[in-house]
Amino acid sequence: MKILGIETSCDETAAAVIEDGRTIHSNVVATQIDMHAQYGGIVPELASRQHMLTFNAVIREAMEKASMELRDLDGIAVTYGPGLAGALLVGVNAAKGLALAEETPLVGINHLEGHIYAAWLEDIPDPANDPGFPLLCLIASGGHTDLVLMRDHGRYELVGQTRDDAAGEAFDKAARVLGLGFPGGPEIQKMSERPHGPERRFPRPNVKNSLDFSFSGLKTAMLHRAQEKGWYPPGEDEIDESELAGVAAAFQEAVVDSIVTRCVAAAEKYRVAGIVLGGGVAANSLLRQEAITRSPVPVIVPRPGLCTDNGAMIGAAAWHHLRDAPQYGWDLDVVPTLRLG
Ligand code: KG4
Ligand code: ZN
């Protein structure tokens, strides 16, 4: 079953053709990040307009790379939430247009479910190593840090979430305080990998008797550290790069430790067969490494390009919705605050 997966919930206009939830025929991602970086964060109205301008070219490229015509598709899938309302509207409306023109089944996909299904794409996991269910899924992105217990395809239970900032948001805010670029996660990772001396560790945020996360205290600790060193507010003095790398590395360790500790605790509590990592923060190399080292069960983590937003994950998730019952979602609406489980 060949499905066109479309994603426009935030700052990537993305489309992919996926067969049977697994094989990637094409995967095109047009990122707007440079446009938003000059404002230090995503500007919702600019995002919607850019999706509108880019959409047709992205769809055309995805179809060309897959060597297919729209009429060859068995379904069209589009993210309908969570995300920026205006950005989601562009994708949903355009997907309806395509589906109507070709009378193709159309299904709306939860973006968070998409991040989970990136784990089934291509050879990840190798079918021989597929641990089966139940799985513990971490979705760590710019807007979410959720622990979801997945008992089977389509069966989700939210067992942990952030009480304040999302992990990606914490990286983005910390990077801003350190004068690094946007998005902050990749910048902090890059800085952490530079040579540095020892640095005082950051506190490990802890929500007692719970699998919930909290990152706002860590953000405040970073602000105090930068003020103490005279780096914030930004001044004329040059910042010692190895000291900066040390602070970035200590911060990254604290976020990663906080995430992995809860993943392992949840995996043990629910006796899962494996852990799936997804969302932009799962592109972080220390997180990937630590999760694999400390987990008592196999860890399935898509390659970094499939952790950040893309259309392939939407096409992969859609297969499970469309294969049993074709749907025609003409009344599909966007749900910016959609949850999973
Ligand atoms: O899933 P995603 O692409 O978009 C949302 O659904 O939000 O996640 C974006 C987030 C940003 O906050 C970004 O800083 C973070 O993922 N991120 C990373 C890395 N790459 C992206 N965080 C840490 N390390 C990375 N390598
Ligand atoms: Zn995402």
Side-chain angles (χ1 to χ4, degrees):
M1 197 170 193
K2 300 180 201 85
I3 297 174
L4 173 66
I6 298 169
E7 158 61 39
T8 67
S9 68
C10 192
D11 60 336
E12 332 281 354
T13 316
V17 177
I18 304 301
E19 186 160 359
D20 296 343
R22 190 167 191 94
T23 309
I24 302 177
H25 288 290
S26 64
N27 184 22
V28 179
V29 180
T31 183
Q32 310 174 352
I33 207 67
D34 291 345
M35 185 180 79
H36 297 288
Q38 56 185 309
Y39 302 100
I42 310 292
V43 185
E45 189 179 331
L46 290 183
S48 316
R49 300 179 97 178
Q50 195 59 32
H51 285 310
M52 223 171 56
L53 296 172
T54 319
F55 189 87
N56 283 354
V58 168
I59 298 291
R60 190 162 300 148
E61 192 180 336
M63 297 312 300
E64 274 172 15
K65 286 200 165 141
S67 306
M68 285 179 211
E69 305 282 340
L70 286 172
R71 62 172 171 272
D72 299 326
L73 296 169
D74 303 297
I76 295 177
V78 61
T79 304
Y80 74 104
L84 303 169
L88 291 163
L89 276 167
V90 175
V92 166
N93 265 327
K96 281 186 185 180
L98 293 175
L100 257 176
E102 299 293 335
E103 291 186 42
T104 312
L106 172 71
V107 65
I109 295 296
N110 184 324
H111 180 83
L112 303 173
E113 187 178 33
H115 274 306
I116 292 175
Y117 274 93
W120 273 267
L121 282 166
E122 279 182 330
D123 50 352
I124 337 153
D126 186 312
N129 301 328
D130 192 338
F133 291 104
L135 290 168
L136 180 81
C137 307
L138 166 81
I139 306 158
S141 67
H144 292 84
T145 311
D146 289 346
L147 283 177
V148 175
L149 180 65
M150 184 178 187
R151 295 193 191 278
D152 201 346
H153 290 294
R155 285 183 60 205
Y156 308 103
E157 189 186 323
L158 185 66
V159 297
Q161 60 188 314
T162 181
R163 298 264 175 112
D164 38 59
D165 292 348
E169 198 178 350
F171 272 116
D172 295 340
K173 288 178 177 168
R176 194 175 310 160
V177 166
L178 294 180
L180 302 173
F182 177 83
E187 295 291 328
I188 296 239
Q189 178 179 320
K190 239 185 290 164
M191 190 48 76
S192 304
E193 286 161 2
R194 295 201 185 168
H196 57 265
E199 175 63 40
R200 233 166 51 243
R201 79 201 290 272
F202 279 94
R204 303 306 195 244
N206 192 10
V207 182
K208 279 218 172 83
N209 303 323
S210 159
L211 290 169
D212 285 351
F213 303 89
S214 169
F215 293 107
S216 72
L218 198 51
K219 175 185 69 185
T220 309
M222 172 58 102
L223 180 63
H224 289 161
R225 186 78 55 101
Q227 284 169 335
E228 194 184 290
K229 291 185 184 283
W231 299 345
Y232 194 87
E236 301 289 299
D237 295 344
E238 210 160 283
I239 296 177
D240 180 292
E241 198 163 279
S242 79
E243 203 179 351
L244 184 61
V247 171
F251 181 83
Q252 178 177 259
E253 274 163 28
V255 175
V256 166
D257 187 28
S258 162
I259 294 176
V260 176
T261 300
R262 274 158 195 76
C263 285
V264 171
E268 284 167 350
K269 178 173 178 186
Y270 293 102
R271 297 166 188 274
V272 297
I275 295 178
V276 167
L277 305 182
V281 178
N284 184 275
S285 48
L286 183 68
L287 173 60
R288 302 160 77 88
Q289 206 177 298
E290 284 284 302
I292 291 168
T293 308
R294 288 169 50 187
S295 169
V297 290
V299 175
I300 304 146
V301 52
R303 63 178 149 89
L306 292 173
C307 289
T308 46
D309 290 351
N310 62 83
M313 66 188 201
I314 303 303
W319 181 54
H320 298 274
H321 293 267
L322 285 175
R323 65 177 162 171
D324 300 328
Q327 311 171 29
Y328 294 87
W330 308 134
D331 55 355
L332 186 62
D333 195 1
V334 301
V335 184
T337 56
L338 187 65
R339 297 165 65 92
L340 187 67

